[in-house]
Amino acid sequence: MRFLRNRPVAIVGYADTKLVRNSGRTAAGIAGEVVASLLDTAGIERDEIDGFATTLAMSEAGNPFWSNLLAEHLGLCPRWCQSTDIGGSSNLGNIARAAMAIEAGLCTTVLCLGADAVSSHDATDQTGHRTEFCQPVGYIGPLVAFGLLSSAYAARYGMPDEALAKLAVAQREGALLNEVACDILRKPLTEADYLSSRMVSHPLRLLDCVMRCDGGYAVLVTTTARARALGFDRVVHPISYREIVNFDPKDAVDDITVSGFSVVGPEALRDAELRPDDIDVLQPYDDFLIAVLLQLEQCGFCGPGQAQSFVKERDLRFSGDLPINTGGGQVSAGQPGLAGGGVNLVEALKQLFGDARARQVRDPRRALVTGIGVLPYGRNWGSSNAMVLERA
């Protein structure tokens, strides 16, 4: 999406909810709250929204009319509507799809939404493909799949325990300063705490993993010209975007730790005419901490197998030389189901808008945000996407 480099669209507002474990709410109820908050802070009337893009909701799995019913629930009448189903990549994907719809003249102002209540009600079955082979041996769900990825990485390069511990502590420090992070997770963490946490799917520890919760976010995208006409003095532009789905379907890559980020990470940076060193804030999708290390290597921040030394040599906190997941990421703030990628996206926007308060990075100009989705049998994740955001 090289047209984004010309900055034709702008993000003019965002909102998110408190992340809560077992809230007892519905995804639609959470959506109503976060959209009302967005409209209030952005000063936009509901009937000015003529485009709508949403993620699916694990708490509403199987509902074939989810986007339609949400539009009705929210009182919207969009001229363009999109429901995206590439897992945790859907959140960034909707920003990109909104930009394309705006550029095509289908709409002018798009609400991008993610809301889920997965810890209160999970209606999904994530056993994946080839269940007749997977289930008898206990290969069920993301935890086992990432355990396999971690074992494959450890066999090639050694298990990067020290880097994972440092990353866990840095992200938890961000969560302690993040008022919307789930309260259960807002507790101090040391590297010793991480290393002593119990194994849950060897070699994954409990503190390698996300905790599901309920919550949502909303982002408002419009044309840059309209943003100026409406008097928005603070905007953020998506300036590049790349995605890939069903990476390596022929199993041509003999290393399952290699993901689609080996393609889309460098492409997104190249389209934006940037190098990894030009990124001020990195907000990588982090359903498991090992995924962050793999993305560092494959997006070009360091070489294969070098993430451990790379992380050990840098300060990953909001005040450091490479701030990563400054609000805690999903691992230390919580993962609201299929709206989980919105945690990383909105944190990037808070940093670029200068709204991150006690964890504010000093004068950030550009952020790289990523998404991950889908776990095929015996392979790496199937969907990867990356977006560069730039403060106007």
Side-chain angles (χ1 to χ4, degrees), residues 116-344:
D116 209 340
V118 65
S119 70
S120 294
H121 178 62
D122 184 359
T124 61
D125 179 5
Q126 293 193 68
T127 53
H129 306 296
R130 305 179 189 176
T131 54
E132 70 273 23
F133 301 113
C134 299
Q135 290 181 350
V137 296
Y139 187 96
I140 300 174
L143 192 64
V144 177
F146 270 91
L148 177 61
L149 283 176
S150 299
S151 295
Y153 186 91
R156 284 180 177 262
Y157 307 114
M159 192 62 194
D161 291 317
E162 293 181 25
L164 293 168
K166 182 175 180 179
L167 179 61
V169 170
Q171 293 200 182
R172 183 61 61 89
E173 288 184 10
L176 293 174
L177 299 172
N178 183 1
E179 63 280 0
V180 304
C182 190
D183 289 337
I184 295 173
L185 296 171
R186 294 184 72 191
K187 299 175 182 177
L189 179 70
T190 66
E191 292 188 16
D193 292 333
Y194 166 83
L195 293 170
S196 64
S197 65
R198 63 185 175 90
M199 290 286 177
V200 289
S201 181
H202 187 82
L204 290 182
R205 297 174 169 86
L206 178 65
L207 293 178
D208 282 304
C209 315
V210 290
M211 182 193 75
R212 289 182 174 176
C213 60
D214 305 342
Y217 74 94
V219 175
L220 198 63
V221 186
T222 189
T223 67
T224 299
R226 188 163 188 266
R228 291 171 180 159
L230 292 174
F232 286 101
D233 56 355
R234 299 189 308 163
V235 302
V236 168
H237 298 288
I239 62 171
S240 70
Y241 175 78
R242 290 284 183 159
E243 77 177 31
I244 192 168
V245 175
N246 196 31
F247 175 73
D248 191 29
K250 296 180 181 180
D251 289 329
V253 180
D254 64 357
D255 179 2
I256 68 168
T257 67
V258 178
S259 73
F261 284 109
S262 62
V263 179
V264 301
E267 285 181 345
L269 290 169
R270 184 174 64 246
D271 288 350
E273 299 182 340
L274 300 173
R275 300 171 302 172
D277 289 347
D278 296 319
I279 298 300
D280 301 309
V281 182
L282 179 60
Q283 304 288 347
Y285 194 94
D286 62 321
D287 45 357
F288 296 87
L289 290 176
I290 188 67
V292 177
L293 301 193
L294 294 178
Q295 290 173 77
L296 284 170
E297 294 180 359
Q298 293 167 36
C299 290
F301 288 85
C302 57
Q306 295 178 2
Q308 171 138 300
S309 57
F310 181 84
V311 166
K312 288 170 65 177
E313 292 167 1
R314 279 159 181 80
D315 187 344
L316 310 179
R317 298 172 297 176
F318 74 92
S319 56
D321 57 336
L322 182 61
I324 294 182
N325 285 335
T326 48
Q330 295 172 71
V331 166
S332 270
Q335 183 187 61
L338 290 174
V343 172
N344 310 76

Side-chain angles (χ1 to χ4, degrees), residues 25-145:
R25 302 180 67 186
T26 65
I30 293 169
E33 174 192 339
V34 75
V35 170
S37 176
L38 173 65
L39 295 175
D40 181 56
T41 56
I44 293 287
E45 297 296 327
R46 198 173 298 260
D47 59 9
E48 294 181 67
I49 295 173
D50 59 357
F52 180 44
T54 182
T55 64
L56 301 180
M58 297 173 74
S59 54
E60 299 287 341
N63 190 329
F65 307 111
W66 180 235
S67 61
N68 296 248
L69 294 174
L70 265 186
E72 179 186 10
H73 175 75
L74 297 169
L76 302 176
C77 182
R79 302 298 301 275
W80 172 82
C81 188
Q82 168 82 45
S83 183
T84 304
D85 67 344
I86 50 176
S89 297
S90 302
N91 307 272
L92 282 184
N94 277 338
I95 303 294
R97 286 153 175 75
M100 287 188 284
I102 289 170
E103 190 73 356
L106 300 176
C107 50
T108 61
T109 304
V110 181
L111 169 67
C112 295
L113 174 69
D116 209 340
V118 65
S119 70
S120 294
H121 178 62
D122 184 359
T124 61
D125 179 5
Q126 293 193 68
T127 53
H129 306 296
R130 305 179 189 176
T131 54
E132 70 273 23
F133 301 113
C134 299
Q135 290 181 350
V137 296
Y139 187 96
I140 300 174
L143 192 64
V144 177

